[in-house]
Amino acid sequence: MIAVQHLYRTYGDGPDLLHANRDISFRVSAGEFVVLAGPSGSGKTTLLNVIGGLDSASSGSVLIDDVEVTALSPRALAEFRRDRVGYVFQRSNLVASLSVYENAVLQLRLQKRLTRAARERTRALLDEVGLGSKLEALPAELSGGQQQRAAIVRAVTSETTLVVADEPTASLDSTNADGILQLMRRLNEDSGVTILVSSHDDRVIEAARRVIQLADGAIISDSEAAGGGSA
Ligand code: ADP
Ligand code: MG
């Protein structure tokens, strides 16, 4: 469902030319849970942003369900982001002035898919992740781990086909980080949503079925391509 082909993202030119992503190619099947690993500066955020339509490629292509994301007009790309992709970032995921519930249904509202069933599903999921008593709370009243859980609920309830999560556990303590990881794994298994998560957290990497390792903007290993990696 995701096919990345010879993707490059460069910054600057001449002596200042920097390859944030260089010649990246891989495929991800629908429903996979894939971790992009690599040290800070290896190109994880750049790659997630290009795949998720938040940034454009310098060359190469990204196909998602046969849509060539890298060839969409700005308007079509905005619709693609709204309708197809759920985003989880390291922090500042939630709109500060909206309640937990309103944050969780925000993308569904924008998609005009906020049906009764969708509201109920969102409430059930918030309850399931321990936020049932926080529906009317503002993000500032939640812990970092609770905020990330609400952000993940939003990303998976909005009927997106792909969730990109950029170091979602990086600002959390280990207990909260484990909870977030388990939540993403379970939602991946239950809903079949494809999840791409970047991390340099060993626990995240160890728990993944498939790890794509980046260094200096390039893929240096892919546990699937190597035939291993089943956890
Ligand atoms: P990671 O997420 O793995 O830490 P990034 O994708 O953020 O890596 O960055 C990859 C490389 O691209 C780094 O060398 C970074 O400094 C560079 N880079 C990222 N964004 C920009 C930008 N907007 N302008 C110039 N260089 C950038
Ligand atoms: Mg990053």
Side-chain angles (χ1 to χ4, degrees):
M1 70 120 355
I2 304 174
V4 179
Q5 287 163 336
H6 302 297
L7 179 76
Y8 284 81
R9 176 62 167 107
T10 58
Y11 289 109
D13 52 26
D16 296 326
L17 180 69
L18 178 119
H19 288 89
N21 283 164
R22 68 176 91 215
D23 200 15
I24 302 254
S25 299
F26 64 99
R27 304 175 77 88
V28 173
S29 305
E32 270 195 90
F33 184 97
V34 179
V35 171
L36 297 175
S40 182
S42 58
K44 304 180 298 296
T45 295
T46 303
L47 182 55
L48 284 182
N49 286 349
V50 174
I51 292 172
L54 294 169
D55 188 12
S56 50
S58 301
S59 64
S61 64
V62 174
L63 276 88
I64 296 184
D65 290 342
D66 296 324
V67 175
E68 189 172 344
V69 178
T70 35
L72 294 176
S73 67
R75 187 192 175 124
L77 190 60
E79 284 177 12
F80 164 82
R81 286 193 300 260
R82 181 195 66 199
D83 292 338
R84 309 292 286 280
V85 189
Y87 301 92
V88 182
F89 303 101
Q90 185 173 331
R91 55 173 84 229
S92 306
N93 276 298
L94 304 177
V95 179
S97 58
L98 295 179
S99 70
V100 168
Y101 173 75
E102 279 302 323
N103 266 286
V105 296
L106 183 60
Q107 195 167 356
L108 280 163
R109 217 183 256 298
L110 296 172
Q111 293 171 339
K112 301 200 191 312
R113 284 177 179 158
L114 190 50
T115 59
R116 177 187 291 256
R119 290 175 203 273
E120 282 170 9
R121 179 164 182 257
T122 306
R123 283 210 181 83
L125 267 171
L126 286 168
D127 198 39
E128 204 182 313
V129 304
L131 295 174
S133 63
K134 300 282 184 190
L135 299 187
E136 300 310 320
L138 292 173
E141 299 168 56
L142 304 186
S143 71
Q146 289 173 326
Q147 291 185 28
Q148 285 305 61
R149 279 181 259 157
I152 290 166
V153 168
R154 174 173 62 199
V156 301
T157 50
S158 52
E159 300 198 27
T160 52
T161 48
L162 171 66
V163 170
V164 296
D166 192 9
E167 305 215 33
T169 64
S171 59
L172 303 179
D173 62 49
S174 62
T175 310
N176 273 309
D178 285 347
I180 290 301
L181 181 60
Q182 281 168 23
L183 174 64
M184 289 200 301
R185 290 291 299 270
R186 188 158 47 78
L187 292 171
N188 166 250
E189 279 160 20
D190 293 352
S191 68
V193 66
T194 307
I195 299 185
L196 270 182
V197 49
S198 78
S199 185
H200 56 237
D201 181 336
D202 286 341
R203 286 181 313 258
V204 176
I205 294 163
E206 277 161 25
R209 285 200 189 81
R210 179 174 175 195
V211 179
I212 295 176
Q213 188 87 34
L214 296 178
D216 288 330
I219 294 181
I220 55 166
S221 72
D222 180 342
S223 59
E224 172 131 302
S230 55

